[in-house]
Amino acid sequence: MEEAAAAVGAPPPATAAAPAAAAAAADDDAAAGAEPSSGAAASRPRRLLALLGAKLCTWRILKTVILGQMLSLFICGTAVTSQYLADKYQVNTPMLQSFINYFLLLLVYTTMLVFRTGNDNLWQILKQRWWKYIILGLADVEANYTIVKAYQYTTLTSVQLLDCFGIPVLMALSWFLLRARYRLIHFVAVAICLLGVGIMVGADILSGREEGEGSDVVIGDVLVLLAASLYAISNVGEEYIVKNLSRVEFLGMVGLFGTIISGLQLAIVEHKEIMKIQWNWKIALLFIAFALCMFGLYNFMPVVIKVTSATTVNLGVLTSDLYSLFLGLYLFHYKFSGLYIVSFAIIMVGFTLYCSTPTHTAEPAAPPQPSSSGLDNAALKLEENDGETPAVAVQFSGGETVVVSTN
């Protein structure tokens, strides 16, 4: 009995000691796990940066950034040659310069459309869509002319800031006409790009960059807004054509109607300025350089728009003013400011963020289906068979089949 009592009484002390042992084990586990948890917390930013790098450092985004900067360099070339003509030789002929570009497009791409066969040749395109290309050509010609004209009335700062108005207009037109749909990151990226433009303008002011005195700032600002809207219309039309029709058709028709419209406008508004030009090999070389840069821009932009979008292109070319500034440090003796580097970095960050998430196209709404389609189809069947005599086929076990009429 004593041994039984001892055997029965032994477990309670062990049970009483269990909580203490469990607490000690928990303390050991906590001590052992303290270091891994702090290490995990420290590694979270690294994992976040790794995920962000994996999302942004892709060939698609890198290609888009490179293509956008190539367009910026073309625009920089047109801006620098135009400014050199105006500052050094007092040649202000924006319509003549545009006319040369449209005429080159006419010679190359409109000629290609003439020799095409089938529904893609020039005559068939003119029959089907001539009035649309008149609107597109008019928008493109007047956008190029209006933005240059605005510099005579307003300041460089106003042009740089208000020219960004074309981006929201372009996004709105893409939403309604191209059915493009954006995500929150796209609006954040656009805001970052516009912040970079604001810093660039602030750097211009702080560095004392020459802005020019406008004779009527209100007229100049209105011209800039009009030019930005016309560029948006032209770019949306270009995106639709190159993605649904062909790049050759767009360039050929813009070359045709652009040559006609700019030629007429050239004869009306710039014939006196052309007569004042004292031609020499330097002026001719600048005209050739401008024409090549503009021709390269018009040839290359449809390729970039086809793989990206018009909005992406317009965000990418925001850096063109900075490239013009960097060249102007040597050509026009601009003053340098570190804010230009900050502006360039911010614009590139916003542009990369925008490219990281592609937009999608909304599907057209399907026509509503009638809820009583079964009853409608049954009634339609009865009407179709109303004049027919129904019959019933009866097969007997012997293999004979007898058709019995129910009339």
Side-chain angles (χ1 to χ4, degrees):
M1 292 292 295
E2 292 176 359
E3 293 176 358
V8 173
T15 305
D27 292 339
D28 293 337
D29 292 338
E35 185 174 353
S37 63
S38 62
S43 65
R44 286 173 186 170
R46 298 174 190 170
R47 289 199 301 268
L48 181 61
L49 289 176
L51 290 174
L52 188 61
K55 185 176 179 63
L56 297 181
C57 298
T58 63
W59 170 241
R60 182 184 65 83
I61 294 178
L62 180 62
K63 179 177 67 174
T64 304
V65 171
I66 293 174
L67 292 176
Q69 298 318 295
M70 290 179 68
L71 292 178
S72 287
L73 290 175
F74 280 123
I75 296 176
C76 169
T78 62
V80 170
T81 51
S82 294
Q83 187 170 358
Y84 215 88
L85 282 169
D87 292 351
K88 300 297 181 180
Y89 302 102
Q90 287 72 49
V91 175
N92 293 285
T93 55
M95 191 54 62
L96 173 61
Q97 295 164 230
S98 296
F99 174 80
I100 297 173
N101 170 61
Y102 291 124
F103 185 70
L104 290 176
L105 294 175
L106 172 71
L107 289 179
V108 177
Y109 292 100
T110 310
T111 304
M112 292 173 63
L113 292 178
V114 170
F115 290 100
R116 273 187 173 183
T117 58
N119 293 328
D120 292 335
N121 68 354
L122 178 63
W123 318 117
Q124 295 297 325
I125 293 172
L126 288 174
K127 288 180 181 178
Q128 298 172 8
R129 298 181 286 273
W130 62 271
W131 62 272
K132 296 179 181 179
Y133 284 112
I134 289 179
I135 296 175
L136 187 61
L138 185 64
D140 196 76
V141 171
E142 297 308 324
N144 289 328
Y145 179 76
T146 307
I147 192 67
V148 176
K149 197 69 176 177
Y151 283 98
Q152 300 179 12
Y153 298 96
T154 188
T155 62
L156 174 64
T157 301
S158 296
V159 172
Q160 289 175 324
L161 283 175
L162 296 177
D163 191 39
C164 297
F165 175 73
I167 294 176
V169 174
L170 182 58
M171 294 179 72
L173 291 176
S174 298
W175 180 284
F176 290 107
L177 300 180
L178 303 180
R179 307 185 66 84
R181 295 297 179 262
Y182 305 98
R183 294 183 172 89
L184 178 61
I185 190 172
H186 295 124
F187 296 103
V188 173
V190 170
I192 293 174
C193 289
L194 296 182
L195 174 63
V197 174
I199 293 176
M200 177 180 62
V201 172
D204 283 343
I205 297 174
L206 293 177
S207 64
R209 184 178 173 187
E210 183 67 28
E211 295 185 350
E213 295 295 332
S215 59
D216 197 324
V217 176
V218 176
I219 294 178
D221 292 347
V222 171
L223 289 176
V224 176
L225 294 176
L226 178 61
S229 302
L230 291 173
Y231 274 126
I233 295 172
S234 175
N235 290 337
V236 168
E238 181 176 0
E239 180 176 354
Y240 177 83
I241 294 169
V242 299
K243 288 186 176 180
N244 294 279
L245 299 173
S246 74
R247 167 178 169 270
V248 175
E249 178 175 334
F250 169 77
L251 293 175
M253 300 308 292
V254 168
L256 174 63
F257 290 106
T259 301
I260 296 173
I261 296 171
S262 62
L264 292 175
Q265 191 165 342
L266 170 66
I268 296 173
V269 301
E270 278 190 4
H271 61 279
K272 294 182 179 179
E273 291 292 334
I274 296 174
M275 297 299 294
K276 295 178 182 178
I277 299 177
Q278 298 179 356
W279 292 94
N280 57 49
W281 68 270
K282 294 181 180 179
I283 294 179
L285 186 62
L286 287 172
F287 268 93
I288 293 173
F290 176 90
L292 291 177
C293 289
M294 184 67 81
F295 186 71
L297 175 66
Y298 271 73
N299 275 271
F300 195 57
M301 184 175 284
V303 177
V304 184
I305 287 180
K306 188 167 185 177
V307 298
T308 57
S309 67
T311 305
T312 304
V313 168
N314 277 263
L315 289 175
V317 300
L318 288 176
T319 55
S320 60
D321 286 336
L322 291 169
Y323 291 135
S324 301
L325 166 74
F326 296 148
L327 285 177
L329 294 174
Y330 300 98
L331 296 176
F332 309 111
H333 307 291
Y334 291 153
K335 293 181 180 179
F336 179 76
S337 172
L339 289 177
Y340 290 123
I341 304 297
V342 176
S343 171
F344 181 82
I346 291 176
I347 292 175
M348 292 305 298
V349 167
F351 179 56
T352 305
L353 280 178
Y354 187 93
C355 298
S356 65
T357 304
T359 59
H360 65 281
T361 303
E363 296 295 334
Q369 298 293 333
S371 58
S372 58
S373 58
L375 295 177
D376 293 340
N377 290 337
L380 183 60
K381 268 293 185 187
L382 288 177
E383 291 179 3
E384 290 177 352
N385 299 332
D386 187 44
E388 299 179 0
T389 301
V392 178
V394 182
Q395 185 172 8
F396 295 96
S397 58
E400 297 180 356
T401 301
V402 179
V403 178
V404 181
S405 176
T406 60
N407 189 3

